[in-house]
Amino acid sequence: LTFLMNSMGLEEDTDYEYYNYIPDNFADPNLSIALIQTKHPVINYGYKISDGQRNLVYTGDTGYFSDLIEFCHKTDLVICEASYSDKNREKAEKWGHMTPAMVAKLINEADLSNVILTHFVELEPKEFVSQVKNQIKQSTNVIAAYTGMEISI
């Protein structure tokens, strides 16, 4: 799949929508891909891939926004960006990235059971995971991605 990405700023009042998309030449007609434009200063998309029974969301670069809750709701696995510490929340919001508190809020509100964190900038992966786990209400499996990781859902 090839996506043309143009760089442009997001307006403050941007409506975030998601679209179901199955390209004509897609190898497996049983899979669907949904896209959501994320909260990021450069146009970026999150993806939901589903076979009708299981699904996976990759958030891409994004800050927290309410439409992401519905997009991720009860998804089998969410691969979520994890860039800034909670002390730099304003910086994270400005640049469209997540803090541990934002990830925890998404987990709590979207009722997620499995989350893999990636795109670490300020905190070491173990520290980011620990801070998220300290802020979630349910028993969610939260782990850090690593090079060569393979996951089956």
Side-chain angles (χ1 to χ4, degrees):
L1 299 175
T2 303
F3 295 94
L4 176 62
M5 306 298 266
N6 296 318
S7 296
M8 53 193 299
L10 293 178
E11 301 296 325
E12 281 188 29
D13 295 326
T14 300
D15 289 327
Y16 297 95
E17 298 180 14
Y18 63 92
Y19 306 91
N20 287 314
Y21 174 71
I22 301 176
D24 293 337
N25 62 348
F26 197 62
D28 189 338
N30 297 316
L31 293 179
S32 66
I33 301 173
L35 287 78
I36 187 169
Q37 185 177 342
T38 65
K39 186 176 181 184
H40 193 266
V42 175
I43 289 182
N44 195 3
Y45 295 92
Y47 301 89
K48 180 185 286 187
I49 302 169
S50 177
D51 67 0
Q53 295 178 355
R54 296 165 300 195
N55 49 57
L56 171 145
V57 167
Y58 171 67
T59 66
D61 284 352
T62 189
Y64 176 87
F65 63 106
S66 60
D67 288 347
L68 195 56
I69 298 165
E70 180 183 341
F71 191 73
C72 293
H73 188 256
K74 293 195 175 188
T75 296
D76 296 300
L77 173 64
V78 174
I79 302 170
C80 188
E81 90 106 66
S83 294
Y84 289 101
S85 64
D86 285 331
K87 71 179 181 179
N88 283 321
R89 182 182 184 91
E90 287 182 19
K91 188 176 183 180
E93 289 173 347
K94 177 181 178 180
W95 294 107
H97 294 288
M98 298 271 226
T99 68
M102 293 173 183
V103 173
K105 185 174 182 179
L106 178 63
I107 289 169
N108 290 330
E109 294 182 359
D111 195 18
L112 303 178
S113 55
N114 294 291
V115 177
I116 298 175
L117 301 175
T118 188
H119 197 256
F120 301 100
V121 175
E122 290 187 343
L123 297 172
E124 290 297 318
K126 285 182 182 180
E127 180 61 25
F128 203 107
V129 168
S130 175
Q131 289 186 25
V132 169
K133 286 182 174 182
N134 288 335
Q135 299 179 63
I136 57 177
K137 298 173 188 170
Q138 66 265 20
S139 64
T140 299
N141 182 31
V142 181
I143 61 173
Y146 56 86
T147 303
M149 179 182 232
E150 291 184 18
I151 297 289
S152 296
I153 57 171

